[in-house]
Amino acid sequence: MKQRIITGVVAGAIFIAFLVLGGYFFQLFVGLLTFVAMSEMFKMKGTKFLTFEGILSAIAAMVLSMPFVSNLLNMGSNGPFMLFAFFIFAMLAATVFSKDGYNIENIAFPFLSAFYIGIGFQSLSFARSADTITVLFAVFIVWAGDTGAYFVGRSFGKHKLLPAVSPHKTIEGSIGGVASAVLVSAIMLFFFRSSLPSLPIWELLLLSALFSCVAQLGDLVESSIKRHFAVKDSGKILPGHGGILDRFDSMIFVLPLMHLLGLF
């Protein structure tokens, strides 16, 4: 627990520092997170990452997560997706010249991974471009949900949520997580109302509950991926916490939904 707390404090401080810096600094930081997350996906699958396929798909994910790249190339708002498509077409072209049976099915894993990770981190970049408080709103919903689910589940959990995917999660913990997220959202609304979306308070609290549920879904999706590949953590870069995907799996789901609903 001590190691987990120390890692959480240090990692949180680094994240907040880049969040405050914003701009290219934050997008480059997000690009680094994207690259590490992609390496974790390949490692979980047991596939070499430092290959043509691995690096190309990682660059594709980073192109999505760092919108300024396409801006530098004067490609407009759809630039990240067009660049991403270019990398997919490059891999499809590789199937023509491959002599070892490389085919479209081999492309599915790296580029589905790149889209999953790239879109999630792209939304993090977009959120920061809108406002620092918006990012913190999402972060605190996820963190409060995780913390509430852990302590409520540990104290009162009796009914398993989805034991086939994550045997330790309980229905009671899930409800506690949602309640904690709504409580933290209410506190943020009290202190930062003018910096948050101009929706009615009851609607923002309702959305907070929805985002907490989606955050739990994102966590379960990554649990399903890890179970499929028979691994405990996505990586070891964060002692006591696992990998980058272990820490951002919920955010990867929540932020695109917030963007879709127009909160940034």
Side-chain angles (χ1 to χ4, degrees), residues 76-136:
S77 60
N78 67 338
F81 294 101
M82 295 307 298
L83 282 172
F84 184 83
F86 170 80
F87 286 112
I88 292 180
F89 293 152
M91 291 303 299
L92 288 170
T95 65
V96 176
F97 303 101
S98 172
K99 296 180 180 180
D100 58 359
Y102 192 80
N103 57 60
I104 191 169
E105 291 184 357
N106 301 120
I107 299 173
F109 170 77
F111 279 93
L112 178 58
S113 299
F115 190 77
Y116 159 60
I117 292 169
I119 285 294
F121 282 113
Q122 180 192 73
S123 296
L124 178 57
S125 293
F126 284 156
R128 175 59 187 88
S129 297
D131 192 86
T132 304
I133 300 299
T134 302
V135 178
L136 292 177

Side-chain angles (χ1 to χ4, degrees), residues 4-22:
R4 184 179 177 86
I5 292 173
I6 293 173
T7 301
V9 170
V10 173
I14 293 172
F15 180 82
I16 295 298
F18 278 99
L19 184 63
V20 171
L21 282 171

Side-chain angles (χ1 to χ4, degrees), residues 12-13 32 73 109 137 145 150 152 156 166 174 191 203 216 222 238 249 251 254:
L32 177 62
L73 298 174
F109 170 77
F137 185 62
Y150 175 78
V152 172
F156 307 104
S166 185
S174 178
F191 287 102
E203 191 170 337
Q216 292 182 42
E222 212 233 333
L238 300 171
D249 51 6
M251 297 287 288
V254 170

Side-chain angles (χ1 to χ4, degrees), residues 2 56 60 127 155 170 196 211 238 246 258:
K2 182 179 179 181
L56 201 64
S155 301
T170 63
L196 291 169
F211 296 147
L238 300 171
D246 290 317
M258 291 179 68

Side-chain angles (χ1 to χ4, degrees), residues 4 27 34 38 40 54 82 86 90 96 105 161 181 188-189 212 229:
R4 184 179 177 86
Q27 288 197 34
T34 303
M38 282 296 294
E40 290 176 354
M82 295 307 298
F86 170 80
V96 176
E105 291 184 357
L161 182 63
M188 286 202 70
L189 284 168
S212 182
F229 292 128

Side-chain angles (χ1 to χ4, degrees), residues 132-169:
T132 304
I133 300 299
T134 302
V135 178
L136 292 177
F137 185 62
V139 168
F140 287 145
I141 286 174
V142 171
W143 286 356
D146 282 348
T147 304
Y150 175 78
F151 285 107
V152 172
R154 189 172 182 179
S155 301
F156 307 104
K158 293 181 180 178
H159 302 88
K160 299 296 183 182
L161 182 63
L162 285 171
V165 177
S166 185
H168 300 298
K169 289 183 170 59

